[in-house]
Amino acid sequence: MPKRRFGPHKFSFSQSHSAKLSYGYNSRMNVGKSGYRVFSANSTTACTELAKRITERLGVELGKSVVYQEANRETRVDVKESVRGQDIFIIQTIPRDVNTAIMELLIMAYALKTSCAQNIIGVIPYFPYSKQCKMRKRGSIVCKLLASMLAKAGLTHIITMDLHQKEIQGFFTFPVDNLRASPFLIQYIQEEIPDYRNAVIVAKSPSAAKRAQSFAERLRLGLAVMHGEPQCSESDMADGRNSPPAVRTSTGPPGLELPWRQQAPFPGIELPMMMAKEKPPITVVGDVGGRIAIIVDDIIDDVEDFVAAAEILKERGAYKIYIMATHGLLSAEAPRLIEESAIDEVVVTNTVPHEVQKLQCPKIKTVDVSMILAEAIRRIHNGESMAYLFRNIAVDD
């Protein structure tokens, strides 16, 4: 039989494969062919520094958009290029004006959603309101509310770093990649702290003991835990479990007061009297005498607790005190308090912009984590496994 021909011309097809990145080095990914864009949702120049570092490692240009505040303080977002059918990554670092940053992220995500973007991935290194992830008093779980708002705005995935509580991932209806900064902080300890083998990892409260133990095991160092530190824990907060009050004042005529048991709103139900807790004096479980003390935590914001812990460690014989934290919020008078304290150095990552605080306090040092964020973006876009980014990471880290 004669061969069937579909036309007089012969066509040859060839597939071009873009070079894969190795942690962002030696790479040049064609933006048009790769099918993804990277945008920054910040309206301030200081907050776009991390986004520029990430795009440099990826070898792409930052997406063209305009984010600004109008005269009446409303946020406006204009996307200046087509995003139809693309994977869009929105990098949002959180400055001091947290609520404005959240609105910028929500409005940009919704603008990209209505512009027919295929996937919208939020890169939020420090997730705001993460401390409000438990019910306290008659309040609300604000972190759950924020997760619902992000989903409603159009986000389909989130990349973040060192959530305050890992259970926060359960608030979302879409995937969450919670990266770790501990490998970068551990590398800083090994390379920048002289005689770190003579150090001891310190947890400034029992709740931070697991994180400190993870650092101590990987560095092959000792562990110390501080107990009795003044802190606001949910078990110490009045949440209404002692109401109604034990004694009720009578509004009846004098001499005609009812017995206390009959004044109770629920007859037959007696609530036991709750004894107030008394905090023990601050103690250090572990030997820090003649050692370098390294306090590890996830967030450093109000530094009064860290300053008090440093003074206790100095009294116990520690001759140098370092603080390692992922997110350096450093609000209010934090730079001044650090400068005047016994703390020798505060090391944080660049998940939150803190250049102004560094000018006020030379003790503050920064570790760059743009490498792991860029690699996470590359792997998610290419559909590769994220397991490599979690190698040697302990469950409690």
Side-chain angles (χ1 to χ4, degrees):
M1 293 180 63
K3 294 183 179 180
R4 180 177 296 180
R5 298 182 179 273
F6 292 93
H9 303 287
K10 295 182 180 180
F11 297 89
S12 60
F13 299 91
S14 62
Q15 295 181 347
S16 61
H17 300 276
S18 57
K20 293 185 177 180
L21 308 183
S22 176
Y23 274 103
Y25 293 115
N26 240 354
S27 61
R28 186 68 185 171
M29 213 176 240
N30 188 302
V31 178
K33 294 181 180 179
S34 63
Y36 81 98
R37 299 281 197 282
V38 180
F39 288 88
S40 174
N42 290 110
S43 58
T44 57
T45 306
C47 296
T48 60
E49 182 63 29
L50 180 61
K52 292 178 180 178
R53 288 176 177 266
I54 292 174
T55 51
E56 286 176 2
R57 292 188 181 277
L58 289 170
V60 300
E61 295 181 358
L62 198 60
K64 298 176 182 178
S65 64
V66 178
V67 183
Y68 62 96
Q69 308 294 321
E70 293 187 341
N72 60 356
R73 303 301 298 167
E74 289 185 357
T75 300
R76 183 175 291 274
V77 174
D78 292 330
V79 180
K80 299 297 185 180
E81 57 184 303
S82 174
V83 297
R84 183 178 297 272
Q86 304 274 326
D87 289 340
I88 305 300
F89 294 86
I90 308 175
I91 301 174
Q92 180 70 324
T93 53
I94 306 298
R96 291 191 176 186
D97 193 355
V98 177
N99 297 327
T100 299
I102 291 173
M103 284 305 300
E104 291 170 349
L105 176 61
L106 292 172
I107 295 174
M108 174 164 277
Y110 190 69
L112 294 169
K113 176 183 177 181
T114 55
S115 299
C116 300
Q118 183 176 2
N119 295 303
I120 304 174
I121 300 95
V123 184
I124 315 172
Y126 167 66
F127 195 80
Y129 288 98
S130 58
K131 285 189 174 182
Q132 299 189 45
C133 60
K134 296 180 180 179
M135 179 65 72
R136 299 179 186 275
K137 291 187 178 180
R138 296 172 182 85
S140 60
I141 306 176
V142 184
C143 195
K144 175 66 171 70
L145 172 64
L146 181 56
S148 302
M149 293 168 62
L150 293 173
K152 191 68 176 179
L155 288 180
T156 59
H157 197 140
I158 276 184
I159 303 171
T160 186
M161 181 168 284
D162 281 337
L163 287 170
H164 186 59
Q165 297 288 340
K166 298 180 183 64
E167 293 78 8
I168 292 176
Q169 298 177 72
F171 293 162
F172 295 88
T173 56
F174 49 77
V176 176
D177 285 310
N178 182 27
L179 304 177
R180 306 293 196 273
S182 57
F184 298 91
L185 297 176
I186 288 175
Q187 183 180 5
Y188 184 93
I189 293 173
Q190 294 172 330
E191 296 179 356
E192 302 296 333
I193 298 181
D195 196 21
Y196 82 93
R197 291 292 183 186
N198 190 34
V200 58
I201 305 297
V202 180
K204 74 178 183 67
S205 64
S207 60
K210 288 185 177 180
R211 181 185 298 272
Q213 180 182 359
S214 175
F215 274 70
E217 289 176 351
R218 282 182 282 176
L219 288 167
R220 307 293 192 270
L221 299 177
L223 175 67
V225 180
M226 302 188 69
H227 177 60
E229 171 188 22
Q231 58 182 349
C232 186
S233 63
E234 63 176 340
S235 60
D236 296 329
M237 300 179 69
D239 57 0
R241 281 177 282 189
N242 291 338
S243 62
V247 178
R248 295 182 60 188
T249 58
S250 175
T251 58
L256 298 179
E257 294 89 351
L258 293 174
W260 176 81
R261 292 182 184 276
Q262 297 182 17
Q263 294 180 20
F266 303 103
I269 299 179
E270 296 182 29
L271 297 177
M273 297 296 294
M274 302 291 291
M275 295 185 64
K277 287 186 177 181
E278 293 185 4
K279 290 214 176 259
I282 298 178
T283 58
V284 180
V285 181
D287 182 21
V288 297
R291 313 284 287 277
I292 300 173
I294 303 176
I295 303 175
V296 297
D297 212 333
D298 61 330
I299 299 173
I300 175 170
D301 189 2
D302 298 326
V303 299
E304 286 85 357
D305 291 346
F306 291 94
V307 171
E311 293 176 356
I312 297 297
L313 293 172
K314 277 288 186 182
E315 293 175 2
R316 298 295 191 275
Y319 68 92
K320 272 193 176 182
I321 299 172
Y322 291 81
I323 295 177
M324 299 280 169
T326 303
H327 311 295
L329 305 185
L330 303 171
S331 303
E333 297 295 321
R336 180 183 62 81
L337 294 175
I338 293 172
E339 185 66 25
E340 298 173 356
S341 70
I343 300 171
D344 292 281
E345 199 168 278
V346 175
V347 182
V348 293
T349 69
N350 57 345
T351 56
V352 177
H354 50 263
E355 295 302 321
V356 175
Q357 290 89 330
K358 289 179 67 175
L359 294 175
Q360 298 172 353
C361 177
K363 292 182 179 180
I364 301 173
K365 308 298 180 182
T366 306
V367 175
D368 183 24
V369 293
S370 61
M371 177 187 295
I372 191 171
L373 294 171
E375 179 66 6
I377 290 175
R378 187 193 72 82
R379 286 176 175 269
I380 289 175
H381 172 66
N382 292 336
E384 300 178 18
S385 172
M386 299 286 285
Y388 179 73
L389 303 182
F390 294 93
R391 67 193 188 283
N392 301 326
I393 299 295
V395 177
D396 297 325
D397 191 1

